[in-house]
Amino acid sequence: MTTNETNVPFPVQPPPQPHEAPVEFIRRAPRVLPGKPGKKSAVLLLYTGGTIGMRKDEKTGAFVPDVAFLEDSLASGLLPDDEAMPQLSFSAFDPPLDSGDMSMAHWNAIARAIGEEYDKYDGFVVVHGTDTMAYTASAVSFALEGLSKPVVFTGSQIPLSVVRTDGLTNLVDSCLVAGSAGPSIAEVLIAFDSLVMRGNRTTKLKACVISGFKSFNIPPIGDGGVHLLNFDTRALAAKPGAAFHCRPHF
Ligand code: ASP
């Protein structure tokens, strides 16, 4: 027992316990997607849900997240098999979530997934709904200490299954960043609408325009104008000698 300023005793609170991953948010084992042999880097894409992977349900007309649709599209050549692109592996959380349903337990599960796969890949792409992407990216940036690889969050305003989708550019940019550099881009990022921003400095501003995100107080670190991905690598480099720790303790 301790006292507050008026000397009224109050009980000391026990330290908060981390939120455990909900049993229904299950991560599938990664599957290596087809691609030209001899790629320079390997990237794990983790699909968590959101608009980007939605497909129209022909019966109801509603758009629903669909892991198989996204996986099949990626496996059958949705992304260019250019030599600048990394060798992609696909993993997904089941069921895929609208990001409005993400909780701290889901943040822990995503961080833990990256921690478990950390040594096997050169970078990570986390595909996420846009509404709370900035919160998850921020949380994951604090859970992954001593990062020496890129972790890139992305999603889209329009599903990949719709002709005017912005998801394709976002996915290509994210894969290029995640597969590009190892220790020179050691940060949790959000890649969206040709901008690459710090995950923990970014806010979703609008749902009705393609450029839905803004990085406040720090300019975007990559700008995919005509010269794609003009990075300020000084801002992103790994700290020499920093050991990686995954602390999914929200
Ligand atoms: N409601 C969706 C989500 O955040 C919106 C999106 O993905 O753009 O999951």
Side-chain angles (χ1 to χ4, degrees), residues 120-134:
K120 300 180 205 143
Y121 298 93
D122 300 298
F124 299 85
V125 172
V126 181
V127 179
H128 195 283
T130 58
D131 290 344
T132 69
M133 186 189 296

Side-chain angles (χ1 to χ4, degrees), residues 49-52 54 97-100 128-133 156-157 204:
T51 292
I52 191 166
M54 286 185 177
L97 292 183
D98 184 290
S99 75
H128 195 283
T130 58
D131 290 344
T132 69
M133 186 189 296
S156 71
Q157 303 281 51
K204 183 179 178 187

Side-chain angles (χ1 to χ4, degrees), residues 191-212:
F192 211 88
D193 189 34
S194 297
L195 294 177
V196 181
M197 297 159 277
R198 280 212 153 114
N200 52 25
R201 291 288 181 277
T202 305
T203 302
K204 183 179 178 187
L205 280 186
K206 292 181 181 167
C208 54
V209 294
I210 298 298
S211 54

Side-chain angles (χ1 to χ4, degrees), residues 73-128:
S73 304
L74 290 168
S76 54
L78 174 77
L79 302 181
D81 194 14
D82 188 89
E83 60 180 28
M85 290 287 276
Q87 171 59 58
L88 269 189
S89 294
F90 180 88
S91 178
F93 286 92
D94 236 344
L97 292 183
D98 184 290
S99 75
D101 293 329
M102 288 275 172
S103 67
M104 285 186 273
H106 298 100
W107 299 346
N108 287 335
I110 294 166
R112 197 175 292 122
I114 295 167
E116 284 166 6
E117 304 289 346
Y118 191 72
D119 293 334
K120 300 180 205 143
Y121 298 93
D122 300 298
F124 299 85
V125 172
V126 181
V127 179
H128 195 283

